[in-house]
Amino acid sequence: MRVSRGTRLSLRVVALGYLFVLLAVPIGVILWRTFEPGLSEFIASISTPAARSALNLSLLIVAITVPVNVVFGVATALALVRGRFRGRGLLQAVVDLPFAVSPIVVGVSLIMLWGAGGWFGALDRAGFQVIFGIPGMVLATIFVTLPFVVREVEPVLHEIGQEQEQAASTLGANGWQTFWRITLPAIRWGLTYGVVLTVARALGEFGAVIMVSSGFPGVSQTLTLLVHSRYIDDHNTYGAYAAATLLMGIALVVLLLMTLLDRKRSDR
Amino acid sequence: MITVTSARKDYGSFTALDDVSLDIPSGSLTALLGPSGSGKSTLLRAIAGLEELDSGTVTIEGRDVTDEPPQRRGIGFVFQHYAAFKHMTVRDNVAFGLTIRKRPKAETAKKVDELLEIVGLDGFQHRYPAQLSGGQRQRMALARALAVDPQVLLLDEPFGALDAKVRTDLRQWLRRLHDEVHVTTVLVTHDQEEALDVADRIAVLNKGRIEQVGDPVTLYERPANDFVMGFLGSVAHLGGQLVRPHDIALERDRATALALDAKVPDSPGVIDAVVERVVPLGFEVRVDLRADSGERFAAQITRRDAAELQLREGETIHARAVGRSSVVDHDPALAI
Ligand SMILES: Nc1ncnc2c1ncn2[C@@H]1O[C@H](COP(=O)(O)OP(=O)(O)O)[C@@H](O)[C@H]1O
Ligand SMILES: [Mg+2]
């Protein structure tokens, strides 16, 4: 398609303007408000006990979610691509469920399952608190981040096919050796990307987590919950901006890491 | 020796292998030859253990391996599309089987260097497969398969993805390699020329069945049926029989033709035909003919015979079959 110079120019202006208004302005405002009173103010605000606890909790949830999603995500992707079993179509659809269902619904359903009056409520009554405890927040996060690894690894598995694995088996490798030496290295970039997306989403998840958290500052607040409670409950607008900036900073580091890895991938 | 007994494999209602039995002598280079979809790969993969048979058995050097996984069959396998380990260097690819077997590092390195020298990839140790040509990748795959000292080497259309020149070079090279290494080798191909060129035995497959097994000369000269005859070289239909084009003689004089034909038993007789085209093919000349019945066929005669005959397009000539490659069991239903 040939586009005239004028059209091209105005398309560019529209695209940039759109990005500017929707992304750059809000982020800019937050950054500006955060650093306006100076760096020391910012550091003080993100190193209060509540903020430190929130950061730790967010990182803890990420640290549990990522390995779980890696193991089950790779296994599910393998089953979807290589498996010949009934119900594969159903599994395909189920994997995408977290994309389709609103996080708040996830929170509600978790309460119905694990809450004191829920199906697995016996656990709660026996003193192992899932809902309003860390396990509930982890469950909620795992649920909403479940598709990322599966959906990133699946196309790579399709693309590499099975011949390399079969070659390995004719050369004497058993299933486990084949997986570690052939399959895993072949899918590593897809897996990395899936992990990055999982981390970003796990850090940023709000709707599902707020439903199952007791929300006590310093106990069961993640960074997103901290931003929310500082702003809404404490009317500590500055604290909310500072926490949001911290959250954004972590996400930015993850994104940067991903871009670097991506560049390394295209080098090869 | 590889022995396949009553092998059967169905994909749904489709029968890929239909009661196949085959002996492959130790030290031979056997080709599984047949058209696409005839079950060659399925048979080879069943020998390798990459495909499970519905029934039947496979033994390798006297050991029943029917229920063994590929890694315990003592085989080397080469795939049409190389199946190179893309994330490993050439050296690591070739060393893979030895690394899995936890051989000492020095021994592995020595063996890998030897093999790379044999396959002509010396100096390519640190390249990745993406930095090799198709032919080089396939030679790497061969070295990788040979590194574990397999009892049998199985090759599934190993040259099928290469261009014509590289293909002929590599198959000559494979032949020489086999003469040196003597490992029992099974080569799958749909190319009759390739099979005739490299194999010392050929098994012809068609629709999941074995049509004939034998050495190249026997198969070419005494095909068991019309299918084998048609698949191993070109054929002409002459008076209801299949004849090789170079087994057709042309005569100017009808009486001479009749007299000579009388000496050939079971011949299709003398066919009068119009010369449609004379095509020089180098040493030989192909003559496209149309019989009175309307049937078209081609004869292939030497340049000298053609010169003596002074063939002109449009004139009538008398064709007869000489010393034809007789089909043992003539079955017109199989004719192609
Ligand atoms: N996994 C499979 N599922 C269904 N049909 C198959 C499968 N593998 C092979 N076939 C069929 O079996 C027949 C023989 O296949 P194959 O052994 O690959 O033939 P060849 O190697 O002689 O071309 C083909 O018609 C093919 O379509
Ligand atoms: Mg095939």
Side-chain angles (χ1 to χ4, degrees):
Chain A
M1 191 174 71
R2 288 200 67 80
V3 186
S4 80
R5 220 179 113 79
T7 321
R8 213 163 46 210
L9 215 68
S10 51
L11 268 176
R12 222 171 273 173
V13 168
V14 168
L16 283 177
Y18 179 80
L19 284 178
F20 185 75
V21 170
L22 278 168
L23 290 175
V25 171
I27 292 175
V29 165
I30 290 179
L31 285 176
W32 179 59
R33 294 295 295 271
T34 302
F35 293 109
E36 196 190 8
L39 198 62
S40 58
E41 191 76 8
F42 168 67
I43 290 174
S45 179
I46 60 164
S47 50
T48 65
R52 268 198 297 222
S53 143
L55 176 62
N56 286 344
L57 184 57
S58 277
L59 294 181
L60 175 70
I61 290 176
V62 168
I64 299 174
T65 302
V66 167
V68 170
N69 273 352
V70 164
V71 172
F72 287 98
V74 171
T76 307
L78 276 169
L80 284 175
V81 177
R82 301 285 154 78
R84 309 241 172 292
F85 55 92
R86 290 163 67 89
R88 225 184 73 191
L90 191 70
L91 186 59
Q92 271 297 357
V94 167
V95 167
D96 282 335
L97 216 58
F99 282 158
V101 174
S102 161
I104 204 106
V105 177
V106 176
V108 171
S109 66
L110 281 176
I111 292 175
M112 282 173 10
L113 270 183
W114 298 93
W119 288 2
F120 306 133
L123 215 59
D124 195 275
R125 290 189 292 274
F128 183 77
Q129 206 177 24
V130 176
I131 301 302
F132 304 130
I134 293 174
M137 298 162 89
V138 169
L139 275 179
T141 309
I142 288 176
F143 188 100
V144 297
T145 54
L146 182 121
F148 292 115
V149 169
V150 181
R151 288 298 178 231
E152 290 300 324
V153 168
E154 208 186 339
V156 185
L157 278 174
H158 261 300
E159 192 195 311
I160 59 170
Q162 265 181 292
E163 282 204 342
Q164 290 185 51
E165 294 169 5
Q166 291 178 347
S169 76
T170 65
L171 290 165
N174 61 32
W176 202 233
Q177 289 169 321
T178 303
F179 176 77
W180 283 108
R181 288 166 188 266
I182 305 298
T183 315
L184 199 57
I187 62 173
R188 67 192 186 280
W189 296 121
L191 187 57
T192 307
Y193 198 63
V195 166
V196 168
L197 291 175
T198 303
V199 171
R201 181 65 196 269
L203 280 174
E205 180 52 34
F206 176 71
V209 169
I210 197 172
M211 291 299 292
V212 296
S213 163
S214 57
F216 292 128
V219 182
S220 52
Q221 264 186 354
T222 61
L223 271 177
T224 50
L225 296 184
L226 180 74
V227 173
H228 180 250
S229 84
R230 274 183 172 176
Y231 195 85
I232 302 291
D233 305 334
D234 310 346
H235 304 290
N236 174 6
T237 319
Y238 178 75
Y241 286 144
T245 300
L246 176 61
L247 201 57
M248 222 157 53
I250 301 173
L252 218 66
V253 168
V254 172
L255 201 75
L256 216 70
L257 230 62
M258 181 188 81
T259 316
L260 283 178
L261 285 169
D262 215 38
R263 182 159 310 155
K264 212 171 137 206
R265 160 165 53 178
S266 43
D267 277 353
R268 296 193 36 132
Chain B
M1 175 117 122
I2 305 170
T3 308
V4 178
T5 314
S6 308
R8 185 176 183 88
K9 178 76 187 178
D10 294 311
Y11 290 112
S13 61
F14 180 84
T15 302
L17 289 180
D18 187 0
D19 194 28
V20 169
S21 294
L22 178 66
D23 283 344
I24 294 161
S26 295
S28 74
L29 200 172
T30 299
L32 301 180
L33 175 68
S36 170
S38 57
K40 309 177 296 287
S41 295
T42 306
L43 179 56
L44 193 77
R45 295 168 62 83
I47 295 172
L50 293 172
E51 211 80 67
E52 215 174 307
L53 289 174
D54 295 332
S55 64
T57 59
V58 178
T59 66
I60 295 175
E61 303 299 342
R63 192 165 62 98
D64 187 340
V65 295
T66 314
D67 298 319
E68 296 278 1
Q71 62 262 31
R72 283 207 289 273
R73 291 195 179 201
I75 53 154
F77 201 100
V78 174
F79 296 80
Q80 176 171 1
H81 298 287
Y82 327 122
F85 301 144
K86 294 199 181 74
H87 61 286
M88 292 184 198
T89 59
V90 169
R91 157 171 286 162
D92 290 344
N93 264 274
V94 177
F96 186 83
L98 299 169
T99 314
I100 289 288
R101 285 169 178 70
K102 301 203 167 56
R103 293 283 165 77
K105 279 226 165 62
E107 182 194 322
T108 301
K110 186 162 167 277
K111 176 118 198 189
V112 169
D113 287 342
E114 269 171 32
L115 278 163
L116 286 177
E117 171 129 31
I118 291 178
V119 301
L121 286 178
D122 211 14
F124 289 79
Q125 272 87 338
H126 299 291
R127 291 222 192 165
Y128 283 90
Q131 300 165 313
L132 300 180
S133 72
Q136 289 170 333
R137 270 182 236 181
Q138 199 57 299
R139 280 182 282 149
M140 178 192 84
L142 257 161
R144 185 176 71 181
L146 288 171
V148 296
D149 291 322
Q151 287 179 306
V152 301
L153 183 60
L154 307 170
L155 311 149
D156 192 354
E157 311 234 13
F159 313 131
L162 305 171
D163 57 55
K165 173 84 176 82
V166 181
R167 188 154 64 214
T168 40
D169 285 355
L170 261 186
R171 73 185 188 220
Q172 298 295 335
W173 175 82
L174 176 72
R175 179 71 239 183
R176 286 196 302 275
L177 182 78
H178 182 261
D179 291 340
E180 280 171 35
V181 187
H182 291 304
V183 57
T184 310
T185 304
V186 187
L187 169 86
V188 161
T189 178
H190 65 267
D191 180 352
Q192 47 98 9
E193 196 187 305
E194 184 167 291
L196 291 171
D197 193 3
V198 299
D200 43 42
R201 273 164 57 87
I202 300 175
V204 181
L205 269 90
N206 181 30
K207 294 181 182 153
R209 291 175 159 277
I210 292 199
E211 297 284 355
Q212 191 176 6
V213 185
D215 62 284
V217 176
T218 307
L219 258 66
Y220 191 82
E221 308 236 314
R222 289 198 301 284
N225 53 45
D226 287 354
F227 177 81
V228 176
M229 177 151 181
F231 204 74
L232 268 94
S234 45
V235 286
H237 286 263
L238 192 66
Q241 287 191 12
L242 287 183
V243 182
R244 298 254 183 248
H246 53 73
D247 283 337
I248 295 174
L250 303 176
E251 310 288 347
R252 278 221 163 269
D253 181 33
R254 190 156 208 282
T256 320
L258 281 172
L260 289 168
D261 185 56
K263 295 179 192 158
V264 182
D266 300 329
S267 82
V270 172
I271 313 292
D272 301 339
V274 176
V275 177
E276 290 203 311
R277 223 160 97 80
V278 179
V279 188
L281 301 172
F283 169 67
E284 290 189 316
V285 173
R286 193 183 79 219
V287 187
D288 293 342
L289 298 147
R290 193 181 70 245
D292 287 348
S293 62
E295 195 173 41
R296 286 193 162 81
F297 63 98
Q300 209 153 315
I301 58 178
T302 62
R303 216 179 173 79
R304 184 186 303 157
D305 288 348
E308 271 173 22
L309 281 166
Q310 292 190 332
L311 292 171
R312 277 194 308 276
E313 292 175 8
E315 68 178 339
T316 299
I317 198 100
H318 312 288
R320 64 188 180 87
V322 288
R324 63 201 179 84
S325 314
S326 55
V327 169
V328 181
D329 290 317
H330 189 83
D331 179 2
L334 280 172
I336 52 168

